[in-house]
Amino acid sequence: MKRYRLVPLLLVLIPLASSCAVEPLEGDVLLYDGPGADEDCTANLAALLENLGYSVELAGPDYFNTNGCAGFRVAAFPGGDMFQYARDLETDAKEDIRRFLAEGGAYLGVCGGSYFAAARVHWQGAELPMEPLALFPGEAVGPIDEIAPFPDCTITGIHADEEHPISADLEDELRYTYCYGPYFLLDEEAGEAPAVLHRYDTGDGAASLAFAYDAGRVFIIGLHPELTIVEVEDGGTDYHPDSYALFEAALDWLLADR
């Protein structure tokens, strides 16, 4: 059986050095690795994407504030502290991400990275006083206590909501790790609204969204496929097949014709 690089623990801290270099980097995915980024989420997302064949470079706020996303195809933000993301990234860096997308780049946001993409962020019943990326007109609301109250994590189900190239070939029912992620509520006057790919089985709002941002594309999800680990036949571990399938489909769509 082919073995893949895997960060082989679920919800176990694995040290990972941050990249704070200011010299320009290049590759497929520029993955945020600032002080607020969760080490497990960052390491596992990087490993999963590399297993799928994408080159990944890690960079902190100093890099984004200095160099932006030039030289990359995807800007990715992992699970972590969206409030700190907003605090550490300068306004010009956020504008650079939006410009990167408008000119044809892509954004991948997982949990904290999906909160960060909303126009408004609500945490435990209060709107956070932060400057998010505001990639779509709506809000990210969490945690979902019916699934697991903060700071608990669990495996939960989501179901397909509408036909989309990302979800078309996936199972209608998926189960991934949930660690106090958001659901998404879209503003009614939003114009062309994002596609709701999945909803939580609890009945709360959207669990994943996909949408165009001018010439670019965005995919965000409130769960952690990259933390959903299974045993394989020889006794080792790997990411769940549904995790590979979701991210493979998402990257295919994000980068189609780009």
Side-chain angles (χ1 to χ4, degrees):
M1 175 178 179
K2 185 177 180 179
R3 299 306 303 275
Y4 296 92
R5 175 176 171 236
L6 171 71
V7 180
L9 295 177
L10 171 63
L11 305 176
V12 176
L13 294 179
I14 300 174
L16 183 69
S18 293
S19 171
C20 295
V22 294
E23 59 270 14
L25 302 169
E26 62 180 20
D28 294 318
V29 181
L30 181 61
L31 177 59
Y32 189 78
D33 186 30
D38 181 86
E39 292 179 346
D40 277 352
C41 299
T42 305
N44 279 278
L45 183 57
L48 194 156
L49 294 177
E50 288 174 345
N51 289 351
L52 289 172
Y54 294 96
S55 60
V56 180
E57 294 285 351
L58 277 59
D62 289 346
Y63 184 90
F64 277 83
N65 290 334
T66 302
N67 293 0
C69 304
F72 290 88
R73 305 167 73 195
V74 182
F77 279 72
D81 186 343
M82 60 282 186
F83 187 82
Q84 188 160 0
Y85 294 172
R87 183 183 64 185
D88 291 347
L89 285 175
E90 298 171 357
T91 296
D92 287 349
K94 296 169 191 171
E95 180 56 36
D96 183 85
I97 293 172
R98 290 188 285 266
R99 183 168 53 251
F100 167 74
L101 295 175
E103 294 174 354
Y107 181 90
L108 173 65
V110 178
C111 195
S114 69
Y115 278 106
F116 189 42
R120 300 179 302 281
V121 176
H122 289 259
W123 175 258
Q124 293 186 323
E127 183 172 350
L128 295 182
M130 58 180 280
E131 180 190 19
L133 289 176
L135 301 182
F136 70 93
E139 50 195 48
V141 182
I144 305 173
D145 289 343
E146 292 83 354
I147 299 177
F150 177 81
D152 295 340
C153 299
T154 190
I155 300 292
T156 194
I158 56 174
H159 59 271
D161 186 73
E162 63 180 78
E163 187 75 11
H164 187 276
I166 293 177
S167 56
D169 294 327
L170 302 178
E171 298 291 336
D172 289 339
E173 302 285 339
L174 300 168
R175 294 182 65 79
Y176 294 125
T177 299
Y178 175 84
C179 283
Y180 30 97
Y183 62 87
F184 310 110
L185 297 176
L186 306 177
D187 294 346
E188 293 183 0
E189 66 279 8
E192 185 177 354
V196 177
L197 275 59
H198 299 95
R199 293 187 183 275
Y200 292 99
D201 288 347
T202 59
D204 287 295
S208 69
L209 300 177
F211 54 96
Y213 188 94
D214 291 340
R217 289 181 172 180
V218 176
F219 173 71
I220 57 176
I221 184 166
L223 297 100
H224 289 278
E226 83 287 2
L227 295 183
T228 308
I229 310 298
V230 295
E231 293 185 356
V232 293
E233 291 179 355
D234 63 359
T237 56
D238 200 353
Y239 302 106
H240 195 285
D242 288 342
S243 299
Y244 281 119
L246 175 67
F247 280 117
E248 183 173 27
L251 269 293
D252 283 348
W253 179 78
L254 287 171
L255 299 175
D257 303 321
R258 284 161 173 77

